[in-house]
Amino acid sequence: MQELYVDLGERSYPIYIGSNLLSQSGYLTSHIHGHQVAVVTNETVAPLYLEKLCSHLHELNPIVVTLPDGEKYKNLDILNRIFDQLLQSRHNRKTTLIALGGGVIGDMTGFAAACYQRGVDFVQIPTTLLSQVDSSVGGKTGVNHALGKNMIGAFYQPNAVIIDTETLSTLPNKELSAGIAEVIKYGLICDKPFYNWLHDNMDKLLERDNDALSYAILRSCQNKADVVAEDEKESGIRAILNLGHTFGHAIETYTGYGSWLHGEAVAVGMVMAADLSLREGDISKEEYRGLVELIEKANLPVKPPAGMTPEHFIELMSVDKKVLDGQLRLVLLKEVGVAVVTQDFNLDNLRATLSAFCS
């Protein structure tokens, strides 16, 4: 078992990474401080891991909120199901919510915890690679709106993140690749040695080699923890974690949430951001081609969906959270391993990138 800390003063918390952690009660129960527990999960994950989790909680008689599975259900209407059951069961401010599932469950449970009686404890138990390396760490919570992804939410930190790598054994190949997209992101934005390691070890990740996956999760979580500790609420450097996300969120909104996996959209978004960085004169053709090669090797797409136009991108990117005072800001690469958030890019270059990918 590996243990990291997200250093946020009184809001600091541990990240536990290891095999079969769901079979060991101490990692979870030490972070439950009251006598009420609610487990939030979905219809896919519940049959796989709910019984094992609840076996450690029988003395607390936990309630279980089982939500439908999918990004299209990450909305305020479905969120209310959590509040309904908490209120019907008369849970108080000492309750602890446990998120058992992927990024959608983690985001919704965290947002519910931030809102219920103005804030209660919660624990993240992510079961997908994408949620293990990204959404479970850092305290971003929220739901989608028809006009934009993650536009309603809160920064709210968990008590702990418990990553059981054994849950990846039941993850579909497509979702494994989607998680690898976020892993690649960390190498691109701040960790060139890790990026080079990914080029050499992508086959092992796809083959679910436990040592390779554990190392990739550990390295990704450490990178994110370092960035979040420096900028918890994304007023500065934390925004580099959104490399590819402005383009990617536009794809997700255009296609309808759930048609494309988040990681698939981010993979295309990173390639588009790299293309713009190339046009800006910051990265080389060799670096750009190397990224495309790595994305394709991970079985991820490198082009947006057919039918999406530059106008679609411009319209949907204009409601992105990184738009400030009417100015679109993007995360671009100065070089592999160095990312910046900037609005000082050439609009003609952006139009050229959009035209090239939408042709």
Side-chain angles (χ1 to χ4, degrees):
M1 195 277 293
Q2 300 280 345
E3 185 173 346
L4 305 173
Y5 273 87
V6 181
D7 186 3
L8 293 169
E10 63 181 12
R11 293 182 307 286
S12 298
Y13 55 92
I15 305 169
Y16 305 113
I17 304 169
S19 179
N20 286 315
L21 297 190
L22 277 176
S23 298
Q24 304 171 54
S25 63
Y27 296 110
L28 173 61
T29 56
S30 62
H31 296 286
I32 297 174
H33 306 303
H35 300 289
Q36 294 177 315
V37 172
V39 180
V40 183
T41 186
N42 67 35
E43 296 165 343
T44 301
V45 173
L48 298 171
Y49 303 112
L50 181 60
E51 183 178 355
K52 181 182 288 188
L53 175 65
C54 287
S55 68
H56 307 309
L57 304 171
H58 59 275
E59 292 182 359
L60 295 171
N61 193 27
I63 64 169
V64 177
V65 185
T66 305
L67 303 180
D69 184 14
E71 186 80 24
K72 65 182 179 180
Y73 299 110
K74 185 179 166 183
N75 57 54
L76 288 171
D77 287 340
I78 300 299
L79 183 75
N80 264 323
R81 298 188 188 183
I82 303 175
F83 297 133
D84 289 345
Q85 292 202 40
L86 290 171
L87 289 165
Q88 289 165 8
S89 301
R90 299 185 180 182
H91 276 227
N92 58 40
R93 285 184 172 176
K94 293 294 185 181
T95 190
T96 299
L97 305 191
I98 300 172
L100 177 66
V104 171
I105 289 297
D107 282 6
M108 294 181 74
T109 305
F111 190 33
C115 297
Y116 188 68
Q117 299 201 23
R118 298 184 176 89
V120 298
D121 290 347
F122 88 108
V123 175
Q124 289 270 21
I125 305 181
T127 60
T128 66
L129 181 59
L130 192 147
S131 60
Q132 289 173 355
V133 302
D134 188 58
S135 59
S136 68
V137 178
K140 276 190 176 182
T141 72
V143 295
N144 299 330
H145 188 279
L147 297 180
K149 184 177 170 69
N150 292 330
M151 296 302 289
I152 304 168
F155 287 98
Y156 195 71
Q157 304 296 340
N159 290 29
V161 180
I162 302 170
I163 298 174
D164 186 342
T165 57
E166 286 298 308
T167 61
L168 300 181
S169 65
T170 57
L171 193 66
N173 289 336
K174 189 176 182 181
E175 293 197 26
L176 181 72
S177 290
I180 290 173
E182 292 283 3
V183 173
I184 292 171
K185 176 194 72 179
Y186 291 109
L188 282 173
I189 63 172
C190 63
D191 194 345
K192 187 174 181 178
F194 182 43
Y195 179 78
N196 293 335
W197 181 90
L198 289 170
H199 269 282
D200 295 335
N201 290 274
M202 184 56 67
D203 289 340
K204 290 183 179 179
L205 293 178
L206 294 172
E207 292 164 2
R208 302 175 195 245
D209 178 89
N210 188 63
D211 289 341
L213 281 170
S214 296
Y215 177 76
I217 294 167
L218 177 68
R219 192 75 171 246
S220 299
C221 287
Q222 184 64 71
N223 280 318
K224 183 159 191 180
D226 290 345
V227 172
V228 170
E230 187 172 343
D231 177 21
E232 180 182 4
K233 295 189 175 180
E234 205 170 289
S235 59
I237 190 174
R238 180 169 177 166
I240 68 171
L241 295 170
N242 293 317
L243 176 69
H245 284 58
T246 302
F247 295 103
H249 286 170
I251 292 171
E252 290 182 270
T253 304
Y254 172 80
T255 57
Y257 302 122
S259 296
W260 277 51
L261 294 177
H262 174 68
E264 293 175 325
V266 166
V268 175
M270 289 192 296
V271 174
M272 295 178 74
D275 181 89
L276 179 53
S277 301
L278 172 61
R279 294 176 191 274
E280 291 282 297
D282 291 322
I283 67 170
S284 67
K285 290 182 179 179
E286 290 73 20
E287 288 175 314
Y288 173 75
R289 290 170 184 151
L291 173 60
V292 173
E293 176 186 316
L294 186 61
I295 295 286
E296 290 180 329
K297 193 172 183 180
N299 298 321
L300 288 162
V302 294
K303 293 183 178 180
M308 197 168 184
T309 66
E311 290 72 26
H312 289 134
F313 271 103
I314 293 296
E315 178 184 357
L316 294 169
M317 290 164 69
S318 69
V319 295
D320 186 82
K321 296 187 295 299
K322 288 180 291 303
V323 172
L324 189 64
D325 296 330
Q327 289 281 342
L328 175 63
R329 297 184 301 156
L330 293 173
V331 184
L332 300 178
L333 296 173
K334 301 307 284 186
E335 60 182 88
V336 170
V338 180
V340 294
V341 184
T342 181
Q343 60 190 37
D344 295 326
F345 52 85
N346 188 309
L347 284 175
D348 288 337
N349 285 337
L350 174 60
R351 294 187 187 99
T353 290
L354 295 176
S355 295
F357 279 82
C358 294
S359 60

